[in-house]
Structure formats: C-alpha cells, structure tokens
C-alpha cells in the first residue's frame, strides 16, 4: 500500500491557505518527500503526518519555492532526535546549495548523504521506493520523478516443495533474497510466480510539456502535474517562464492515460483553479484541480 499526500499546491510563494507544492509518500514505515519549499514542515504537521520516518528528500530544482523550507525541516528532524542517515537527491549542485542553507542549521544529530544527478535519467532505490528522476525543461536544470512500488510474484508452494528446501528458508526467498542451502544457491524466481502489477506515481513541476513526461506517466496510478496558469491565453507567459497551462497539462494526461491527474503549482494570481476545470475535463476527464493536503491511498490490484 502506498499513501500519497500533495502537501501544498502553490507556486512561487506560499499564500494563506495554500502551501508550496510538495509531495509526501508513505510505504512500509518509510517516507519520501519531493520538494521542500517554505512552510512544507507546517503542511506536514497540518496533515498529521510524521517527519521522523523520512528516509529521502528529492528535489526537482533549486528555485526557492522548492527548497527554502529545508533548513527548518532539518532542524525539526534533529529536534526529534533522529539518528538515521538522510538521503538528499537532486540535480547537480545539491551539496553546494544545501551546504549554504545549512549555515543556519549547522549541527544535526544525523548524517546527510547526497546523490546528485549527472545524467538525463537516473534510477535508484530507497527502502520500498524505486525512484526515477528524468530531466524536464525549466529555466534551470530540473527533474521530474516517477516513484514505483514493485510487486513481486505470488509465492508458489508447489514450486517450493519440489525444491526440497526446508520451510524455514522459504520466507527469505519470499522477501526477494537468495539462499544457499547445502552448497546450492536458490533464487526468489525459483519459488515466485510472475511479477505482479505494482504502483506508480509521477510528479512533474516546473516544466514545459515534454514527451518524456507523458511517457513516464503512462498508465500511472496518479500523475501530479504542474499547472501554473488556468487561463489558456497565458500560454505566452507559460512559454516565457517555462511552465504550463492547465490545458497543456491535460494534453499530457490525455496521452499518458493515468488513473487520475492532479494539477498543482498554481500561480499566486490564480485564486480559483476549479473555475477552469470544466473545459479541462473535456480533454482529460479524470483531472482534478488539487487542493492542499489532498491525499490518496493506493492499493495493489490484489489488495483492492
Ligand atoms: Zn516553482
Ligand atoms: Zn522553478
């Protein structure tokens, strides 16, 4: 099971009642955060979710509305006496940016590990999460994210029995680890059926529309996409500042056909995003103008 919360829906600056865009995921006691603008830690508190199990924070890019909340969050995590290492991942320059921000949060009781992307696409795993960062098109280097929870095949008792392996070792294989017994190696594939469909969430902001976005979001359970401007006549502005209109985001969703799309990262001038949705749903019916704190519990097909 995977819980997703869109902590905020604002772009550029937080407003009363609208925090900056950030996403938190919870799965098997491990939390993942994408982006951390000013006020993100308050948004987490408001939602009632916990900072302590955050194992990784991924950044799309280093504009202030996506990272300026980090020093405060790190201090709060330190105050909660966190000892476990924290992974920070983001485009090249991450350690330099975070080191500068940490001038005001120098002493933390836990180590920070950095992962900086150098390639157009990078994939890595943290706890239950398989994370893919892919470069998008903003006015600074920026990445979108695909977060997957894989689902291994069902345990096949007949297969396991035919191997003659002691039952105490079945669990090891079931968890996806190899086993050596009486000099022979056993792999999980020997006792598991075909991989089952996992869960997929895609998060992209700030960017112009790109083919790679619809490719990664194809058949996703949830596609969170920026929509800086509700008004289609703001296309020139969207192009200039490297953002998207709702309409452009809906076209991406139409191509990707996810289970649902949430729009986010609204311009501070966009007070009522919902007002634009009627036309947008004609392009992609399962589109939502997301609200702060909107969350969703995603389940594997065989858990529904
Ligand atoms: Zn932004
Ligand atoms: Zn930006």
């Amino acid at each position: 099971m995977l819980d997703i919360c869109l902590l905020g829906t604002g772009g550029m600056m937080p407003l009363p009642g609208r925090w900056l865009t950030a996403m938190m995921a919870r799965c098997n006691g491990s939390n993942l955060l994408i982006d951390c603008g000013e006020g993100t830690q308050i948004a987490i508190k408001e939602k009632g979710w916990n900072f302590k199990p955050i194992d990784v924070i991924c950044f799309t890019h280093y504009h202030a509305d996506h990272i300026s909340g980090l020093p405060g969050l790190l201090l709060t995590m330190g105050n909660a006496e966190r000892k476990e290492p924290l992974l920070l991942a983001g485009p090249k320059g991450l350690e330099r940016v975070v080191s500068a921000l940490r001038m005001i949060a120098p002493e933390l009781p836990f180590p920070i590990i950095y992962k900086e992307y150098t390639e157009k696409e990078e994939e890595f795993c943290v706890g239950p999460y398989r994370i893919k960062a892919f470069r998008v098109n903003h006015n600074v280097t920026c990445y979108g994210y695909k977060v997957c929870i894989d689902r291994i095949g069902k345990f096949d008792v007949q297969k396991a029995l035919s191997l003659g392996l002691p039952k105490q070792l079945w669990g090891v294989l079931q968890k996806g680890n190899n086993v050596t017994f009486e000099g022979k190696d056993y792999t999980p594939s020997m006792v598991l059926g075909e991989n089952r469909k996992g869960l997929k969430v895609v998060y992209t902001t700030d960017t112009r529309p790109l083919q790679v976005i619809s490719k990664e979001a194809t058949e996703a359970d949830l596609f969170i996409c920026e929509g800086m401007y509700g008004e289609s006549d703001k296309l020139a502005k969207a192009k200039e500042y490297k953002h998207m209109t709702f309409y452009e985001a809906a076209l991406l969703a139409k191509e990707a056909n996810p289970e649902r799309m949430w729009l986010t990262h609204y311009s501070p001038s966009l007070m009522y995003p919902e007002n634009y949705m009627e036309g947008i749903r004609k392009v992609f019916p399962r589109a939502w103008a997301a609200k702060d704190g909107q969350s969703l519990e995603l389940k594997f097909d065989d858990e529904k």
Side-chain angles (χ1 to χ4, degrees), residues 61 63 65-66 138-140 142 205-206 241 243 265:
H61 64 302
H63 280 152
D65 55 331
H66 299 262
H138 193 37
N139 51 18
V140 295
C142 186
T205 186
D206 308 1
Y241 298 109
H243 285 290
H265 200 279

Side-chain angles (χ1 to χ4, degrees), residues 21-230:
T21 293
M23 184 198 100
M24 201 180 224
R26 304 195 296 196
C27 184
N28 290 348
S30 173
N31 289 13
L32 166 149
L33 177 66
I34 305 181
D35 283 340
C36 188
E38 184 184 346
T40 291
Q41 62 166 320
I42 309 176
I44 298 171
K45 271 247 149 98
E46 275 185 355
K47 184 67 188 173
W49 286 20
N50 200 344
F51 317 101
K52 241 191 156 179
I54 297 178
D55 290 321
V56 55
I57 305 177
C58 299
F59 296 97
T60 52
H61 64 302
Y62 307 132
H63 280 152
D65 55 331
H66 299 262
I67 195 168
S68 62
L70 183 68
L73 178 63
L74 293 176
L75 287 170
T76 300
M77 290 168 84
N79 285 334
E81 286 174 19
R82 183 197 177 90
K83 296 277 182 290
E84 302 78 21
L86 172 68
L87 177 68
L88 300 184
K92 213 166 185 272
L94 175 66
E95 187 163 0
R96 190 172 52 88
V97 174
V98 174
S99 299
L101 292 169
R102 282 203 49 205
M103 293 287 281
I104 55 169
E107 278 169 42
L108 296 172
F110 56 89
I112 289 180
I113 301 160
Y114 294 96
K115 174 172 178 60
E116 299 197 356
Y117 314 138
T118 50
E119 307 297 323
K120 267 174 93 173
E121 298 188 343
E122 298 212 12
E123 199 165 314
F124 57 103
C125 292
V126 180
Y129 305 104
R130 181 161 55 81
I131 303 162
K132 181 173 183 180
F134 51 94
R135 201 177 294 163
V136 292
N137 177 19
H138 193 37
N139 51 18
V140 295
T141 306
C142 186
Y143 284 75
Y145 286 97
K146 178 170 79 176
V147 177
C148 294
I149 306 293
D150 293 324
R151 181 88 162 134
I152 56 171
K154 243 189 172 154
F155 189 78
D156 187 330
V157 178
Q158 288 310 319
K159 273 183 166 181
L161 282 171
S162 69
L163 291 175
L165 200 63
K167 279 189 180 167
Q168 307 89 279
L169 297 174
W170 288 9
V172 184
L173 292 174
Q174 199 170 5
K175 283 186 185 128
N177 301 309
N178 291 356
V179 162
T180 306
F181 176 67
E182 291 181 344
K184 209 177 152 201
D185 293 330
Y186 296 85
T187 61
S189 64
M190 292 168 153
V191 295
L192 299 178
E194 292 281 298
N195 280 353
R196 288 170 285 180
K197 188 181 164 290
L199 298 169
K200 173 159 101 169
V201 175
V202 169
Y203 172 103
T204 45
T205 186
D206 308 1
T207 177
R208 293 288 304 139
L210 291 175
Q211 193 80 56
V212 68
I213 299 174
S214 48
K215 187 191 100 189
E216 297 298 350
T218 298
E219 309 291 333
D221 295 277
L222 172 62
F223 173 35
I224 299 176
C225 187
E226 83 138 87
M228 187 74 158
Y229 307 106

